[in-house]
Amino acid sequence: MNDSAIARTGVAVGVLPSALDAIGNTPMVRLDRLTDGVDGTLLAKLEYLNPCGSKKDRVAKRIIQAAEETGALQPGQPVVELTSGNTGAGLAIACAVTGHPFVAVLSRGSSTERARMIAALGAEVVLVDQAPGSVPGRVSGADLALVEKQARLITQSRGAFRSDQFENHHNVEAHYTGTGPEIWAQTGGRLDAFADFVGTGGCLAGVTRALKERDPAIRCFAVEPEGAAVLAGHEVFESHHPIQGGGFGRADLTHLRDVPLDGYLQVTGDEARRTSRLLATREGIFAGFSAGANVAAALHLLRHELAGATVAVVIPDSGLKYLSTDLWE
């Protein structure tokens, strides 16, 4: 566009209407420094480069759009959500742009940065005390149940729309129509496997369905914390693991029903922590706990059953959200 065209329109080519329009189409990079000496290729999709720093921005945008389109969310109606932080941040910007008050309900076990970020974006933050015996800085399934109870009460009392990320199928749709096809396009279809740490299961479900529709031979794996690997059929003996955003010990995840998974991988908190630090110091990728879990799981695949393969993961969120935790001590 020349100068006269800019003067006529007031904008230049490439200017987006809002921050919501900047969500998605995140880059994918090779992690060659971490795979040095490993037979295979590891690719990472940088979801932490979304406007609010996580893959959950996609989910928040789609849920709000769909609710407005169907009339489930009326103009100016409040939105309420249970969140460990990332979906809350995504909903905060989605609601800011679309004009809805937003109430985020978090456990006090979530990192303080998450709550402060959501509040800074204009949302109301309700913090729920942790269950007896819970570990500060770590959100267990019992903690999440208390948050869910409070979120339901607030939704009812305020006549709010509950985005309900654990049950809303638009969570899966956001990744089925966005993240999965983007991974396929960025790899040119030359991909052998995908692995993802499970929170709600929406990302794993959506990406798995999208990839397998294009090539059923692509193997997709659920990543869980060691000690809380209920999807793999194991007993929970460590519900207070440090990997925030997932591993809540819920075996009945709606989004993963009938999803054709190929296996289950377990990662310890120490492995996730160590790998997140390696991502920062060797790859220049400043990410959170779940990114470390994803990359650790993918490296396990390349060192064992998928030697020589190409494995993709997402980098779910930014390390900036964990500065108060032991991730960066």
Side-chain angles (χ1 to χ4, degrees), residues 141-191:
D143 294 329
L144 203 66
L146 293 175
V147 177
E148 170 64 26
K149 181 179 180 180
Q150 187 64 31
R152 289 181 179 179
L153 291 173
I154 294 172
T155 300
Q156 182 177 16
S157 66
R158 303 198 187 184
F161 168 77
R162 176 70 189 279
S163 53
D164 203 2
Q165 60 175 315
F166 275 89
E167 301 296 331
N168 193 317
H169 71 275
H170 293 295
N171 180 343
V172 177
E173 182 192 11
H175 297 292
Y176 173 73
T177 60
T179 317
E182 288 174 28
I183 290 173
W184 175 264
Q186 288 168 318
T187 60
R190 294 183 292 275
L191 181 67

Side-chain angles (χ1 to χ4, degrees), residues 133-135 138-143 225-228 236-242 246-249:
S134 289
V135 179
R138 303 183 182 187
V139 179
S140 67
D143 294 329
E226 186 173 296
V236 176
F237 62 84
E238 181 51 85
S239 61
H240 303 301
H241 60 83
F248 300 120

Side-chain angles (χ1 to χ4, degrees), residues 12-24:
V13 172
V15 174
L16 300 172
S18 75
L20 290 181
D21 298 279
I23 293 171

